[in-house]
mmCIF file with all atom_site columns, all heavy atoms in Angstrom:
data_model
loop_
_atom_site.group_PDB
_atom_site.id
_atom_site.type_symbol
_atom_site.label_atom_id
_atom_site.label_alt_id
_atom_site.label_comp_id
_atom_site.label_asym_id
_atom_site.label_entity_id
_atom_site.label_seq_id
_atom_site.pdbx_PDB_ins_code
_atom_site.Cartn_x
_atom_site.Cartn_y
_atom_site.Cartn_z
_atom_site.occupancy
_atom_site.B_iso_or_equiv
_atom_site.pdbx_formal_charge
_atom_site.auth_seq_id
_atom_site.auth_comp_id
_atom_site.auth_asym_id
_atom_site.auth_atom_id
_atom_site.pdbx_PDB_model_num
ATOM 1   N N   . VAL A 1 16 ? -6.869  3.486   -6.456  1.00 0.00 ? 16 VAL A N   1
ATOM 2   C CA  . VAL A 1 16 ? -8.289  3.770   -6.583  1.00 0.00 ? 16 VAL A CA  1
ATOM 3   C C   . VAL A 1 16 ? -8.681  3.939   -8.059  1.00 0.00 ? 16 VAL A C   1
ATOM 4   O O   . VAL A 1 16 ? -9.709  3.328   -8.498  1.00 0.00 ? 16 VAL A O   1
ATOM 5   C CB  . VAL A 1 16 ? -8.661  5.113   -5.865  1.00 0.00 ? 16 VAL A CB  1
ATOM 6   C CG1 . VAL A 1 16 ? -9.975  5.604   -6.162  1.00 0.00 ? 16 VAL A CG1 1
ATOM 7   C CG2 . VAL A 1 16 ? -8.510  4.891   -4.351  1.00 0.00 ? 16 VAL A CG2 1
ATOM 8   N N   . VAL A 1 17 ? -7.872  4.518   -8.846  1.00 0.00 ? 17 VAL A N   1
ATOM 9   C CA  . VAL A 1 17 ? -8.215  4.701   -10.306 1.00 0.00 ? 17 VAL A CA  1
ATOM 10  C C   . VAL A 1 17 ? -8.096  3.296   -11.016 1.00 0.00 ? 17 VAL A C   1
ATOM 11  O O   . VAL A 1 17 ? -9.021  2.987   -11.803 1.00 0.00 ? 17 VAL A O   1
ATOM 12  C CB  . VAL A 1 17 ? -7.201  5.710   -10.970 1.00 0.00 ? 17 VAL A CB  1
ATOM 13  C CG1 . VAL A 1 17 ? -7.291  5.683   -12.443 1.00 0.00 ? 17 VAL A CG1 1
ATOM 14  C CG2 . VAL A 1 17 ? -7.473  7.056   -10.469 1.00 0.00 ? 17 VAL A CG2 1
ATOM 15  N N   . PHE A 1 18 ? -7.104  2.474   -10.724 1.00 0.00 ? 18 PHE A N   1
ATOM 16  C CA  . PHE A 1 18 ? -6.976  1.180   -11.334 1.00 0.00 ? 18 PHE A CA  1
ATOM 17  C C   . PHE A 1 18 ? -8.133  0.241   -10.932 1.00 0.00 ? 18 PHE A C   1
ATOM 18  O O   . PHE A 1 18 ? -8.676  -0.438  -11.737 1.00 0.00 ? 18 PHE A O   1
ATOM 19  C CB  . PHE A 1 18 ? -5.644  0.581   -10.998 1.00 0.00 ? 18 PHE A CB  1
ATOM 20  C CG  . PHE A 1 18 ? -5.365  -0.651  -11.756 1.00 0.00 ? 18 PHE A CG  1
ATOM 21  C CD1 . PHE A 1 18 ? -5.301  -0.681  -13.154 1.00 0.00 ? 18 PHE A CD1 1
ATOM 22  C CD2 . PHE A 1 18 ? -5.134  -1.890  -11.150 1.00 0.00 ? 18 PHE A CD2 1
ATOM 23  C CE1 . PHE A 1 18 ? -5.038  -1.845  -13.908 1.00 0.00 ? 18 PHE A CE1 1
ATOM 24  C CE2 . PHE A 1 18 ? -4.909  -3.044  -11.820 1.00 0.00 ? 18 PHE A CE2 1
ATOM 25  C CZ  . PHE A 1 18 ? -4.846  -3.019  -13.204 1.00 0.00 ? 18 PHE A CZ  1
ATOM 26  N N   . GLY A 1 19 ? -8.548  0.393   -9.641  1.00 0.00 ? 19 GLY A N   1
ATOM 27  C CA  . GLY A 1 19 ? -9.660  -0.435  -9.192  1.00 0.00 ? 19 GLY A CA  1
ATOM 28  C C   . GLY A 1 19 ? -10.944 0.014   -9.842  1.00 0.00 ? 19 GLY A C   1
ATOM 29  O O   . GLY A 1 19 ? -11.751 -0.849  -10.208 1.00 0.00 ? 19 GLY A O   1
ATOM 30  N N   . ALA A 1 20 ? -11.157 1.303   -10.061 1.00 0.00 ? 20 ALA A N   1
ATOM 31  C CA  . ALA A 1 20 ? -12.342 1.718   -10.721 1.00 0.00 ? 20 ALA A CA  1
ATOM 32  C C   . ALA A 1 20 ? -12.366 1.346   -12.174 1.00 0.00 ? 20 ALA A C   1
ATOM 33  O O   . ALA A 1 20 ? -13.389 0.921   -12.732 1.00 0.00 ? 20 ALA A O   1
ATOM 34  C CB  . ALA A 1 20 ? -12.412 3.290   -10.678 1.00 0.00 ? 20 ALA A CB  1
ATOM 35  N N   . VAL A 1 21 ? -11.231 1.340   -12.843 1.00 0.00 ? 21 VAL A N   1
ATOM 36  C CA  . VAL A 1 21 ? -11.127 0.899   -14.244 1.00 0.00 ? 21 VAL A CA  1
ATOM 37  C C   . VAL A 1 21 ? -11.439 -0.570  -14.343 1.00 0.00 ? 21 VAL A C   1
ATOM 38  O O   . VAL A 1 21 ? -12.222 -1.020  -15.274 1.00 0.00 ? 21 VAL A O   1
ATOM 39  C CB  . VAL A 1 21 ? -9.752  1.183   -14.832 1.00 0.00 ? 21 VAL A CB  1
ATOM 40  C CG1 . VAL A 1 21 ? -9.508  0.504   -16.136 1.00 0.00 ? 21 VAL A CG1 1
ATOM 41  C CG2 . VAL A 1 21 ? -9.590  2.730   -15.044 1.00 0.00 ? 21 VAL A CG2 1
ATOM 42  N N   . LEU A 1 22 ? -10.935 -1.375  -13.400 1.00 0.00 ? 22 LEU A N   1
ATOM 43  C CA  . LEU A 1 22 ? -11.252 -2.827  -13.434 1.00 0.00 ? 22 LEU A CA  1
ATOM 44  C C   . LEU A 1 22 ? -12.699 -3.148  -13.178 1.00 0.00 ? 22 LEU A C   1
ATOM 45  O O   . LEU A 1 22 ? -13.275 -3.935  -13.855 1.00 0.00 ? 22 LEU A O   1
ATOM 46  C CB  . LEU A 1 22 ? -10.461 -3.559  -12.329 1.00 0.00 ? 22 LEU A CB  1
ATOM 47  C CG  . LEU A 1 22 ? -8.968  -3.845  -12.679 1.00 0.00 ? 22 LEU A CG  1
ATOM 48  C CD1 . LEU A 1 22 ? -8.313  -4.535  -11.508 1.00 0.00 ? 22 LEU A CD1 1
ATOM 49  C CD2 . LEU A 1 22 ? -8.828  -4.713  -13.947 1.00 0.00 ? 22 LEU A CD2 1
ATOM 50  N N   . MET A 1 23 ? -13.369 -2.348  -12.294 1.00 0.00 ? 23 MET A N   1
ATOM 51  C CA  . MET A 1 23 ? -14.777 -2.523  -12.001 1.00 0.00 ? 23 MET A CA  1
ATOM 52  C C   . MET A 1 23 ? -15.612 -2.122  -13.264 1.00 0.00 ? 23 MET A C   1
ATOM 53  O O   . MET A 1 23 ? -16.586 -2.705  -13.616 1.00 0.00 ? 23 MET A O   1
ATOM 54  C CB  . MET A 1 23 ? -15.181 -1.734  -10.792 1.00 0.00 ? 23 MET A CB  1
ATOM 55  C CG  . MET A 1 23 ? -14.704 -2.407  -9.474  1.00 0.00 ? 23 MET A CG  1
ATOM 56  S SD  . MET A 1 23 ? -15.362 -1.643  -7.985  1.00 0.00 ? 23 MET A SD  1
ATOM 57  C CE  . MET A 1 23 ? -14.564 -0.059  -8.033  1.00 0.00 ? 23 MET A CE  1
ATOM 58  N N   . PHE A 1 24 ? -15.191 -1.018  -13.937 1.00 0.00 ? 24 PHE A N   1
ATOM 59  C CA  . PHE A 1 24 ? -15.902 -0.529  -15.099 1.00 0.00 ? 24 PHE A CA  1
ATOM 60  C C   . PHE A 1 24 ? -15.768 -1.560  -16.273 1.00 0.00 ? 24 PHE A C   1
ATOM 61  O O   . PHE A 1 24 ? -16.769 -1.722  -17.095 1.00 0.00 ? 24 PHE A O   1
ATOM 62  C CB  . PHE A 1 24 ? -15.408 0.860   -15.464 1.00 0.00 ? 24 PHE A CB  1
ATOM 63  C CG  . PHE A 1 24 ? -16.114 1.374   -16.667 1.00 0.00 ? 24 PHE A CG  1
ATOM 64  C CD1 . PHE A 1 24 ? -17.405 1.861   -16.539 1.00 0.00 ? 24 PHE A CD1 1
ATOM 65  C CD2 . PHE A 1 24 ? -15.529 1.488   -17.891 1.00 0.00 ? 24 PHE A CD2 1
ATOM 66  C CE1 . PHE A 1 24 ? -18.059 2.400   -17.639 1.00 0.00 ? 24 PHE A CE1 1
ATOM 67  C CE2 . PHE A 1 24 ? -16.163 1.961   -18.968 1.00 0.00 ? 24 PHE A CE2 1
ATOM 68  C CZ  . PHE A 1 24 ? -17.462 2.470   -18.858 1.00 0.00 ? 24 PHE A CZ  1
ATOM 69  N N   . LEU A 1 25 ? -14.662 -2.156  -16.474 1.00 0.00 ? 25 LEU A N   1
ATOM 70  C CA  . LEU A 1 25 ? -14.407 -3.035  -17.632 1.00 0.00 ? 25 LEU A CA  1
ATOM 71  C C   . LEU A 1 25 ? -14.696 -4.467  -17.392 1.00 0.00 ? 25 LEU A C   1
ATOM 72  O O   . LEU A 1 25 ? -14.556 -5.295  -18.288 1.00 0.00 ? 25 LEU A O   1
ATOM 73  C CB  . LEU A 1 25 ? -12.913 -2.844  -18.036 1.00 0.00 ? 25 LEU A CB  1
ATOM 74  C CG  . LEU A 1 25 ? -12.536 -1.455  -18.589 1.00 0.00 ? 25 LEU A CG  1
ATOM 75  C CD1 . LEU A 1 25 ? -11.096 -1.435  -18.909 1.00 0.00 ? 25 LEU A CD1 1
ATOM 76  C CD2 . LEU A 1 25 ? -13.406 -1.060  -19.787 1.00 0.00 ? 25 LEU A CD2 1
ATOM 77  N N   . ALA A 1 26 ? -15.157 -4.844  -16.177 1.00 0.00 ? 26 ALA A N   1
ATOM 78  C CA  . ALA A 1 26 ? -15.413 -6.257  -15.890 1.00 0.00 ? 26 ALA A CA  1
ATOM 79  C C   . ALA A 1 26 ? -16.638 -6.780  -16.707 1.00 0.00 ? 26 ALA A C   1
ATOM 80  O O   . ALA A 1 26 ? -17.724 -6.171  -16.626 1.00 0.00 ? 26 ALA A O   1
ATOM 81  C CB  . ALA A 1 26 ? -15.710 -6.410  -14.409 1.00 0.00 ? 26 ALA A CB  1
ATOM 82  N N   . PRO A 1 27 ? -16.465 -7.847  -17.444 1.00 0.00 ? 27 PRO A N   1
ATOM 83  C CA  . PRO A 1 27 ? -17.568 -8.399  -18.231 1.00 0.00 ? 27 PRO A CA  1
ATOM 84  C C   . PRO A 1 27 ? -18.463 -9.142  -17.306 1.00 0.00 ? 27 PRO A C   1
ATOM 85  O O   . PRO A 1 27 ? -18.158 -9.490  -16.117 1.00 0.00 ? 27 PRO A O   1
ATOM 86  C CB  . PRO A 1 27 ? -16.841 -9.356  -19.250 1.00 0.00 ? 27 PRO A CB  1
ATOM 87  C CG  . PRO A 1 27 ? -15.606 -9.712  -18.566 1.00 0.00 ? 27 PRO A CG  1
ATOM 88  C CD  . PRO A 1 27 ? -15.216 -8.526  -17.721 1.00 0.00 ? 27 PRO A CD  1
ATOM 89  N N   . GLU A 1 28 ? -19.614 -9.518  -17.801 1.00 0.00 ? 28 GLU A N   1
ATOM 90  C CA  . GLU A 1 28 ? -20.626 -10.251 -17.068 1.00 0.00 ? 28 GLU A CA  1
ATOM 91  C C   . GLU A 1 28 ? -20.482 -11.736 -17.073 1.00 0.00 ? 28 GLU A C   1
ATOM 92  O O   . GLU A 1 28 ? -21.300 -12.468 -17.519 1.00 0.00 ? 28 GLU A O   1
ATOM 93  C CB  . GLU A 1 28 ? -22.037 -9.847  -17.513 1.00 0.00 ? 28 GLU A CB  1
ATOM 94  C CG  . GLU A 1 28 ? -22.358 -8.435  -17.216 1.00 0.00 ? 28 GLU A CG  1
ATOM 95  C CD  . GLU A 1 28 ? -23.778 -8.052  -17.640 1.00 0.00 ? 28 GLU A CD  1
ATOM 96  O OE1 . GLU A 1 28 ? -24.553 -8.920  -17.985 1.00 0.00 ? 28 GLU A OE1 1
ATOM 97  O OE2 . GLU A 1 28 ? -24.048 -6.855  -17.741 1.00 0.00 ? 28 GLU A OE2 1
ATOM 98  N N   . GLY A 1 32 ? -15.267 -11.881 -14.988 1.00 0.00 ? 32 GLY A N   1
ATOM 99  C CA  . GLY A 1 32 ? -15.616 -10.526 -14.670 1.00 0.00 ? 32 GLY A CA  1
ATOM 100 C C   . GLY A 1 32 ? -15.916 -10.320 -13.134 1.00 0.00 ? 32 GLY A C   1
ATOM 101 O O   . GLY A 1 32 ? -15.542 -9.330  -12.545 1.00 0.00 ? 32 GLY A O   1
ATOM 102 N N   . LEU A 1 35 ? -12.559 -9.986  -11.650 1.00 0.00 ? 35 LEU A N   1
ATOM 103 C CA  . LEU A 1 35 ? -12.041 -8.706  -11.824 1.00 0.00 ? 35 LEU A CA  1
ATOM 104 C C   . LEU A 1 35 ? -12.739 -7.651  -10.947 1.00 0.00 ? 35 LEU A C   1
ATOM 105 O O   . LEU A 1 35 ? -12.085 -6.705  -10.461 1.00 0.00 ? 35 LEU A O   1
ATOM 106 C CB  . LEU A 1 35 ? -12.224 -8.271  -13.320 1.00 0.00 ? 35 LEU A CB  1
ATOM 107 C CG  . LEU A 1 35 ? -11.202 -8.810  -14.319 1.00 0.00 ? 35 LEU A CG  1
ATOM 108 C CD1 . LEU A 1 35 ? -11.556 -8.406  -15.708 1.00 0.00 ? 35 LEU A CD1 1
ATOM 109 C CD2 . LEU A 1 35 ? -9.767  -8.415  -13.968 1.00 0.00 ? 35 LEU A CD2 1
ATOM 110 N N   . LEU A 1 36 ? -14.002 -7.792  -10.765 1.00 0.00 ? 36 LEU A N   1
ATOM 111 C CA  . LEU A 1 36 ? -14.750 -6.869  -9.916  1.00 0.00 ? 36 LEU A CA  1
ATOM 112 C C   . LEU A 1 36 ? -14.243 -7.047  -8.441  1.00 0.00 ? 36 LEU A C   1
ATOM 113 O O   . LEU A 1 36 ? -14.091 -5.962  -7.815  1.00 0.00 ? 36 LEU A O   1
ATOM 114 C CB  . LEU A 1 36 ? -16.271 -7.227  -10.006 1.00 0.00 ? 36 LEU A CB  1
ATOM 115 C CG  . LEU A 1 36 ? -17.124 -6.292  -9.215  1.00 0.00 ? 36 LEU A CG  1
ATOM 116 C CD1 . LEU A 1 36 ? -17.154 -4.936  -9.870  1.00 0.00 ? 36 LEU A CD1 1
ATOM 117 C CD2 . LEU A 1 36 ? -18.607 -6.873  -9.194  1.00 0.00 ? 36 LEU A CD2 1
ATOM 118 N N   . ALA A 1 37 ? -14.011 -8.244  -8.004  1.00 0.00 ? 37 ALA A N   1
ATOM 119 C CA  . ALA A 1 37 ? -13.515 -8.440  -6.642  1.00 0.00 ? 37 ALA A CA  1
ATOM 120 C C   . ALA A 1 37 ? -12.112 -7.804  -6.477  1.00 0.00 ? 37 ALA A C   1
ATOM 121 O O   . ALA A 1 37 ? -11.801 -7.133  -5.500  1.00 0.00 ? 37 ALA A O   1
ATOM 122 C CB  . ALA A 1 37 ? -13.474 -9.890  -6.323  1.00 0.00 ? 37 ALA A CB  1
ATOM 123 N N   . ILE A 1 38 ? -11.267 -7.993  -7.500  1.00 0.00 ? 38 ILE A N   1
ATOM 124 C CA  . ILE A 1 38 ? -9.920  -7.370  -7.447  1.00 0.00 ? 38 ILE A CA  1
ATOM 125 C C   . ILE A 1 38 ? -10.049 -5.851  -7.451  1.00 0.00 ? 38 ILE A C   1
ATOM 126 O O   . ILE A 1 38 ? -9.343  -5.194  -6.723  1.00 0.00 ? 38 ILE A O   1
ATOM 127 C CB  . ILE A 1 38 ? -9.056  -7.895  -8.658  1.00 0.00 ? 38 ILE A CB  1
ATOM 128 C CG1 . ILE A 1 38 ? -8.782  -9.342  -8.463  1.00 0.00 ? 38 ILE A CG1 1
ATOM 129 C CG2 . ILE A 1 38 ? -7.757  -7.109  -8.738  1.00 0.00 ? 38 ILE A CG2 1
ATOM 130 C CD1 . ILE A 1 38 ? -8.179  -10.045 -9.748  1.00 0.00 ? 38 ILE A CD1 1
ATOM 131 N N   . GLY A 1 39 ? -10.906 -5.360  -8.291  1.00 0.00 ? 39 GLY A N   1
ATOM 132 C CA  . GLY A 1 39 ? -11.143 -3.904  -8.349  1.00 0.00 ? 39 GLY A CA  1
ATOM 133 C C   . GLY A 1 39 ? -11.577 -3.307  -7.017  1.00 0.00 ? 39 GLY A C   1
ATOM 134 O O   . GLY A 1 39 ? -11.129 -2.261  -6.600  1.00 0.00 ? 39 GLY A O   1
ATOM 135 N N   . VAL A 1 40 ? -12.495 -3.996  -6.419  1.00 0.00 ? 40 VAL A N   1
ATOM 136 C CA  . VAL A 1 40 ? -13.053 -3.524  -5.080  1.00 0.00 ? 40 VAL A CA  1
ATOM 137 C C   . VAL A 1 40 ? -11.943 -3.639  -4.005  1.00 0.00 ? 40 VAL A C   1
ATOM 138 O O   . VAL A 1 40 ? -11.743 -2.683  -3.191  1.00 0.00 ? 40 VAL A O   1
ATOM 139 C CB  . VAL A 1 40 ? -14.241 -4.365  -4.697  1.00 0.00 ? 40 VAL A CB  1
ATOM 140 C CG1 . VAL A 1 40 ? -14.621 -4.072  -3.216  1.00 0.00 ? 40 VAL A CG1 1
ATOM 141 C CG2 . VAL A 1 40 ? -15.415 -4.079  -5.559  1.00 0.00 ? 40 VAL A CG2 1
ATOM 142 N N   . GLU A 1 43 ? -9.615  -0.687  -4.550  1.00 0.00 ? 43 GLU A N   1
ATOM 143 C CA  . GLU A 1 43 ? -10.262 0.513   -4.100  1.00 0.00 ? 43 GLU A CA  1
ATOM 144 C C   . GLU A 1 43 ? -10.109 0.625   -2.555  1.00 0.00 ? 43 GLU A C   1
ATOM 145 O O   . GLU A 1 43 ? -9.805  1.730   -2.078  1.00 0.00 ? 43 GLU A O   1
ATOM 146 C CB  . GLU A 1 43 ? -11.735 0.539   -4.499  1.00 0.00 ? 43 GLU A CB  1
ATOM 147 C CG  . GLU A 1 43 ? -11.972 0.750   -5.955  1.00 0.00 ? 43 GLU A CG  1
ATOM 148 C CD  . GLU A 1 43 ? -12.236 2.205   -6.268  1.00 0.00 ? 43 GLU A CD  1
ATOM 149 O OE1 . GLU A 1 43 ? -12.522 2.973   -5.355  1.00 0.00 ? 43 GLU A OE1 1
ATOM 150 O OE2 . GLU A 1 43 ? -12.063 2.572   -7.478  1.00 0.00 ? 43 GLU A OE2 1
#
Side-chain angles (χ1 to χ4, degrees):
V16 170
V17 169
F18 188 61
V21 168
L22 280 179
M23 287 189 290
F24 181 72
L25 295 177
E28 294 182 11
L35 282 177
L36 185 67
I38 293 169
V40 168
E43 288 267 342

